[in-house]
Amino acid sequence: QVQLVESGGGLVQAGGSLRLSCAASGRTFSTYHMGWFRQPPGKEREFVATITRTGSTTYYADSVKGRFTISRDSAKNTVYLQMNSLKPEDTADYFCAAGTRDTVSLNMPSAYGYWGQGTQVTVST
């Protein structure tokens, strides 16, 4: 079992930046690949980014590629999402997740067994 807590959300102007953090506790952090998902108001949850167990590979949704960067710090048991050049359409609740299945594509929510409570990001014009 692993517990995840997101932080770093808030209100930012379009074109600005935010860094989200996801602190993990419980089982060994390096056991899991990690992902970020987001849920805009009134819409379904969607994939944002993922990073493999060792941090050697990352994958991004087309909508954020080139603007967002996912990283992990094993010493701090923390995953980050650096968000640059933010757009109003990035407004959403952002969730981090710990992966528990290796037979499911990492852009699918079903690949992740543990989820944080979310942190809100609002991007104004």
Side-chain angles (χ1 to χ4, degrees):
Q1 194 174 30
V2 62
Q3 294 78 46
L4 305 172
V5 180
E6 304 96 334
S7 62
L11 176 65
V12 64
Q13 291 187 164
S17 299
L18 283 174
R19 188 181 75 162
L20 306 184
S21 299
C22 175
S25 62
R27 294 182 179 176
T28 303
F29 175 68
S30 60
T31 300
Y32 305 99
H33 52 263
M34 301 294 296
W36 285 97
F37 290 74
R38 67 187 183 185
Q39 187 165 13
K43 298 183 178 180
E44 71 278 6
R45 189 168 299 184
E46 64 184 26
F47 169 76
V48 176
T50 191
I51 187 167
T52 54
R53 303 178 195 276
T54 63
S56 60
T57 304
T58 58
Y59 179 70
Y60 299 91
D62 289 342
S63 59
V64 307
K65 194 174 300 180
R67 300 187 297 121
F68 290 11
T69 302
I70 187 172
S71 61
R72 64 193 300 162
D73 186 337
S74 59
K76 297 181 178 180
N77 282 0
T78 300
V79 177
Y80 303 96
L81 184 68
Q82 178 67 47
M83 305 185 295
N84 298 327
S85 301
L86 283 162
K87 305 174 181 179
E89 47 265 47
D90 295 319
T91 295
D93 289 333
Y94 283 72
F95 301 86
C96 66
T100 57
R101 299 176 65 184
D102 292 331
T103 58
V104 179
S105 177
L106 295 182
N107 69 339
M108 300 297 294
S110 59
Y112 304 87
Y114 301 99
W115 296 80
Q117 291 294 105
T119 186
Q120 185 176 352
V121 172
T122 302
V123 183
S124 64
T125 59

